[in-house]
Amino acid sequence: MATIRDLRLVPFRIPLRAPLRWGKASEMAALEHALLQVELSDGSLGQAEVAIRPTIYGETLGSVRAGLEYLKPRLLGLEADDQEAIRAVLESFPCNLGLKGALDLALWEAWARSEGEELYQVLKPAKHRVRVSYILGMASEEELLLDARMAYEAGVRVFKVKVGRDLEEDGRKIGRLKEAFPDAELYADANETLSPKEAERYLLAWKEMGLLYVEEPLPVEEVEARRKLREKKILPLIADDSAMTPKDLRRELLLDTFDILNLKPARTGVTWTLEMLALAREKGKRAMVGSQAQSSFGAYQSALLAFQQGVTEPNELAFHLKAEGGFLDFPTFRQGWLYWEDLVEARFDEGAFRRYALE
């Protein structure tokens, strides 16, 4: 079997059409990410996008570079299909989720190509289409409507709305979205901004507004409060920050704190995403594939996992619409759906990537 010969990192930058704002103070104006490349001894190449999120995972480009240098001598020479050995190396290096998720994805792609296949041929679909959603950040009402109109015209029919700073303002924005797009569905992402005392009032209001569900209304450390909030069955709760890893997920499943698991291949690669999906499925939980605000290439690799058995909810596969360009021609959404037959036609564009690469 081919072995791991080299690991490389190429930073890139793609401006966004407008800044994305979320949580209490986070803002992003461009995709300042990196392309991670894994080369095997037979020349097979696997690639994945490192989503660098200092305010979420504590990773910067500098820390990603340092992390890769630390892992490199421990991974070089390992057989590409030795998942046990590779996983042992990655899991002995705590945190660094963006780096490790990308490494795992790139290793899977390199291994697939070494076997004469593409990643989509290895990750066989359980369905022929999936629903997609689009993330609306915190913005003025007019900015929000313009952003939603752009995504709607691109075929999106489900929106995730960043909420939690002001209930009255949330209500106005949600009302205008529902008026402008009566056939669209909405759900909320509170990004841990609520306190246990106010959460029930907010969820009751959001339910009255017709939202589907709400993601992480409470801080992660408020485990007991999240369990009690779910018991009230006001709105289904989505676990994201509270279930970043299989270890986190096992805790949340034991305490029964959520209804829907938001899986993010950008931080869990293929290996841990599939494991977490299986754990959630065994406990009767629903699942979606979420975005870590990636380019069209990152969205493509995440989309491959959205077609797996047990993914039941709309998937956040449209963030790349916010970007001014990209290096993979992502397929068109058709009335709210992404079709497998369209997805597998997408290809990485080396020439386009060079336009955004920083070195």
Side-chain angles (χ1 to χ4, degrees):
M1 182 64 203
T3 59
I4 302 171
R5 181 165 65 190
D6 195 18
L7 303 171
R8 299 184 292 270
L9 198 68
V10 184
F12 66 87
R13 185 181 190 277
I14 302 176
L16 296 180
R17 299 178 190 278
L20 175 70
R21 303 180 185 92
W22 73 95
K24 293 180 179 178
S26 295
E27 181 174 326
M28 182 172 64
L31 301 181
E32 295 179 310
H33 293 174
L35 185 71
L36 195 152
Q37 300 176 321
V38 173
E39 184 182 344
L40 302 185
S41 57
D42 65 358
S44 300
L45 183 69
Q47 302 184 117
E49 181 173 347
V50 186
I52 298 172
R53 290 288 169 277
T55 63
I56 301 176
Y57 307 127
E59 290 175 295
T60 65
L61 178 59
S63 74
V64 168
R65 286 189 191 277
L68 189 62
E69 287 305 306
Y70 172 84
L71 291 171
K72 195 170 183 176
R74 292 161 175 81
L75 290 170
L76 294 185
L78 294 181
E79 293 186 348
D81 65 347
D82 191 347
Q83 290 191 13
E84 184 176 344
I86 292 169
R87 181 167 179 163
V89 170
L90 297 181
E91 291 187 342
S92 68
F93 187 51
C95 307
N96 297 278
L97 298 184
L99 168 60
K100 292 191 296 185
L103 259 172
D104 187 76
L105 271 164
L107 281 163
W108 270 77
E109 183 173 79
W111 165 74
R113 288 175 172 170
S114 184
E115 293 290 306
E117 295 186 300
E118 290 295 328
L119 191 55
Y120 70 82
Q121 294 171 306
V122 173
L123 297 173
K124 299 185 185 303
K127 60 201 88 172
H128 76 283
R129 66 177 189 173
V130 296
R131 294 175 75 200
V132 297
S133 63
Y134 179 78
I135 300 170
L136 294 168
M138 291 179 167
S140 71
E141 290 180 34
E142 296 309 317
E143 288 173 328
L144 199 73
L145 288 169
L146 281 173
D147 197 23
R149 174 62 61 188
M150 179 274 295
Y152 187 89
E153 290 176 352
V156 174
R157 295 295 180 269
V158 182
F159 295 102
K160 177 162 95 169
V161 187
K162 299 285 188 177
V163 296
R165 290 182 180 176
D166 184 306
L167 183 56
E168 186 177 339
E169 184 180 348
D170 292 343
R172 289 196 302 271
K173 290 178 179 178
I174 290 167
R176 292 198 64 182
L177 286 167
K178 292 180 75 69
E179 181 181 356
F181 311 102
D183 61 331
E185 294 183 291
L186 307 175
Y187 63 102
D189 183 1
N191 283 114
E192 305 180 55
T193 54
L194 304 185
S195 70
K197 289 183 179 179
E198 65 186 348
E200 184 174 346
R201 177 171 64 93
Y202 271 66
L203 263 65
L204 286 168
W206 290 334
K207 181 179 181 179
E208 185 67 22
M209 294 174 197
L211 299 191
L212 295 175
Y213 20 69
V214 59
E215 182 173 305
E216 297 293 10
L218 296 171
V220 168
E221 65 270 19
E222 296 284 358
V223 182
E224 182 63 12
R226 283 189 285 111
R227 184 186 66 78
K228 289 180 178 178
L229 185 61
R230 181 181 177 269
E231 284 181 347
K232 296 180 184 293
K233 299 186 183 300
I234 301 169
L235 278 175
L237 302 185
I238 302 173
D240 177 14
D241 297 347
S242 59
M244 288 187 181
T245 67
K247 183 178 179 180
D248 295 334
L249 177 58
R250 288 187 176 92
R251 178 195 65 232
E252 299 301 311
L253 288 172
L254 182 64
L255 296 171
D256 205 13
T257 61
F258 72 95
D259 302 280
I260 301 162
L261 176 62
N262 191 339
L263 294 157
K264 293 189 173 177
R267 69 181 177 220
T268 50
V270 175
T271 302
W272 299 289
T273 297
L274 293 178
E275 178 180 316
M276 293 172 72
L277 179 56
L279 286 169
R281 195 168 57 232
E282 287 169 9
K283 295 296 184 180
K285 301 296 184 182
R286 293 179 277 166
M288 61 172 56
V289 167
S291 169
Q292 201 56 82
Q294 298 154 280
S295 71
S296 56
F297 177 61
Y300 163 77
Q301 289 188 324
S302 291
L304 296 176
L305 288 150
F307 284 82
Q308 297 298 301
Q309 186 66 41
V311 177
T312 56
E313 308 308 304
N315 301 280
E316 299 162 6
L317 303 174
F319 184 86
H320 61 279
L321 297 175
K322 290 184 188 291
E324 293 185 350
F327 44 91
L328 179 137
D329 190 11
F330 201 92
T332 301
F333 301 125
R334 295 194 254 161
Q335 292 298 310
W337 296 90
L338 172 64
Y339 286 78
W340 181 259
E341 64 196 57
D342 298 334
L343 185 66
V344 299
E345 295 299 316
R347 294 291 182 272
F348 180 93
D349 186 333
E350 179 68 31
F353 175 72
R354 288 297 150 200
R355 293 199 293 272
Y356 303 104
L358 298 179
E359 58 182 48

